[in-house]
Amino acid sequence: MWMIVVILSVLLGVCFYVYKSRRSNLRRIHGEGQGIFITGCDTGFGYDLAKRLDGLGFRVFAGCLNSNGKEAGELARSCSKLLSVVQLDVTKEDQITSAKAYVETVHRNIGCGLWALVNNAGIDCYGDIEFSPTEFYRRVADVNLFGMVHVTKTFLPMIRKSKGRVINNTSVKGRLSLPRISVYGITKYGGENFSDCLRLEMRKFGVKVVIVEPGNFGGVTGILSGSNLNRLKDDKETMWNRADPEVKQVYGRKYLESQFSELERAADTSCRTTTPVIDAFEDAVTLENPRTRYLVHGGRGLFDKCCVYATLNSYLPTAWMDFLVDRWFNSSGVAEIGI
């Protein structure tokens, strides 16, 4: 009998702990007037997040690649006076320094501080390793990885003082290796590692570090459309023109064309709204105890296959994952090799 009492007591204790933990995890901070700096606000996630947090009363500093551009102007007009558009190319040291100086000036005048830094700026690249020039790796890493590192190191003293948080936008492709995304993927894996190291180092200061990993949202963010898609098409021509003659002979032009046709079709399979990702960002900014990682499923089907594979990747042997990825992601263009 006493054994039953002990077991029931333990179960009740566990249930109470889970209940209290869940309630604690759902408590939100009051953000009225607190400073938030977001990079990459010209379009996509950054643009929508700036509007969301402005609506919640935060003082948003929206870093834009072109602060005088049409998108930046629309963002400023659609938000309150608490939002400031800030010129920021994350590859330019002088612009990062100027952005910090501006935030510090606003803080001295009104005492907003800096509660959160959201590293969102990023660019894409697509293509087989043998076709991708080394300069493509440097160009994408300058934005996606070294831009994140430089901006974080610049603003970290302000985040430490507020005991706030750093939120880094990586990708599902920072947890899953796929063919033709090495240029992009290594920057996202790097962003994951940088975030993990930073989280451990900042624990002693009470600073939280959160990672948001969007799945298939490329069609709605603009990264696979408009000027970005045109840049990717230009990259395709550069790849072909600079490829070694032996590589051209082995792969063939039709193979390269088929890869980029697949890329254009990919936009049609992505989620139609950024809302799931913006919800994750909002939780990361406002919850007292946010999750360490937010893997956000996108796509238009029943599931986001990249997110499903990323989850499986944490449990299945590498050989199994290679087989699955090869069957689902690696068949495109094989018939055209050498043509």
Side-chain angles (χ1 to χ4, degrees):
M1 181 67 181
W2 62 271
M3 198 64 171
I4 296 175
V5 173
V6 170
I7 292 173
L8 288 175
S9 298
V10 170
L11 288 175
L12 286 172
V14 170
C15 291
F16 180 74
Y17 173 78
V18 171
Y19 171 75
K20 292 290 289 184
S21 297
R22 286 182 176 274
R23 283 184 62 85
S24 174
N25 288 341
L26 293 176
R27 287 202 299 265
R28 297 184 183 271
I29 61 101
H30 297 291
E32 288 79 3
Q34 295 199 62
I36 308 283
F37 196 99
I38 311 170
T39 69
C41 291
D42 299 81
T43 58
F45 297 137
Y47 184 96
D48 291 343
L49 179 61
K51 294 181 69 173
R52 172 77 67 87
L53 295 180
D54 174 76
L56 293 175
F58 287 95
R59 181 168 288 276
V60 176
F61 300 95
C64 292
L65 181 62
N66 184 5
S67 59
N68 295 316
K70 176 183 176 183
E71 294 83 0
E74 291 175 349
L75 177 62
R77 286 190 295 273
S78 64
C79 293
S80 74
K81 293 182 179 180
L82 291 176
L83 182 138
S84 301
V85 171
V86 181
Q87 174 61 40
L88 183 65
D89 180 338
V90 298
T91 68
K92 307 290 186 185
E93 182 175 358
D94 59 329
Q95 292 191 17
I96 297 173
T97 303
S98 296
K100 181 191 177 187
Y102 176 73
V103 174
E104 289 177 327
T105 299
V106 174
H107 170 59
R108 283 194 298 270
N109 291 335
I110 65 173
C112 64
L114 190 64
W115 169 251
L117 167 66
V118 181
N119 284 303
N120 167 72
I123 59 175
D124 199 1
C125 192
Y126 189 79
D128 287 74
I129 292 170
E130 288 201 275
F131 273 117
S132 301
T134 305
E135 69 181 63
F136 282 17
Y137 288 88
R138 294 194 181 99
R139 181 187 72 194
V140 176
D142 277 345
V143 177
N144 295 3
L145 181 56
F146 297 117
M148 175 189 291
V149 172
H150 197 169
V151 171
T152 300
K153 286 171 65 67
T154 299
F155 283 97
L156 205 51
M158 297 188 73
I159 296 294
R160 271 195 285 102
K161 289 178 182 177
S162 69
K163 296 187 183 298
R165 56 210 43 194
V166 177
I167 301 156
N168 292 330
N169 184 14
T170 60
S171 169
V172 64
K173 293 170 184 174
R175 291 175 54 177
L176 177 68
S177 299
L178 297 173
R180 295 175 293 280
I181 67 158
S182 68
V183 177
Y184 179 77
I186 61 173
T187 68
K188 297 304 180 179
Y189 269 89
E192 293 270 335
N193 180 261
F194 173 71
S195 302
D196 287 340
C197 293
L198 183 66
R199 183 182 67 255
L200 293 170
E201 293 175 10
M202 288 295 107
R203 284 175 65 90
K204 55 185 170 286
F205 299 111
V207 171
K208 291 181 170 58
V209 178
V210 182
I211 304 170
V212 177
E213 302 163 331
N216 186 2
F217 291 88
V220 71
T221 62
I223 202 168
L224 292 178
S225 61
S227 60
N228 285 319
L229 182 59
N230 290 333
R231 176 180 53 77
L232 292 172
K233 290 180 178 178
D234 290 340
D235 286 349
K236 176 188 67 176
E237 297 304 320
T238 301
M239 288 176 180
W240 180 256
N241 293 333
R242 295 192 185 180
D244 186 88
E246 191 268 348
V247 171
K248 290 182 179 180
Q249 181 179 3
V250 168
Y251 286 86
R253 176 74 186 197
K254 284 190 176 181
Y255 172 82
L256 188 63
E257 294 286 351
S258 71
Q259 303 308 305
F260 279 81
S261 296
E262 177 188 271
L263 184 64
E264 292 183 48
R265 292 192 298 270
D268 296 328
T269 68
S270 80
C271 187
R272 293 183 174 89
T273 174
T274 62
T275 299
V277 177
I278 304 307
D279 288 344
F281 273 121
E282 181 184 335
D283 284 351
V285 170
T286 62
L287 287 178
E288 286 188 7
N289 294 295
R291 285 151 49 186
T292 300
R293 279 178 168 79
Y294 290 85
L295 178 63
V296 187
H297 289 243
R300 297 187 188 180
L302 295 176
F303 57 90
D304 184 329
K305 68 179 180 181
C306 284
C307 289
V308 171
Y309 272 45
T311 302
L312 292 175
N313 198 34
S314 300
Y315 302 100
L316 296 182
T318 300
W320 292 21
M321 285 304 304
D322 285 353
F323 173 78
L324 293 173
V325 169
D326 188 59
R327 290 294 298 270
W328 206 335
F329 292 95
N330 211 23
S331 60
S332 176
V334 172
E336 285 78 23
I337 286 182
I339 299 178

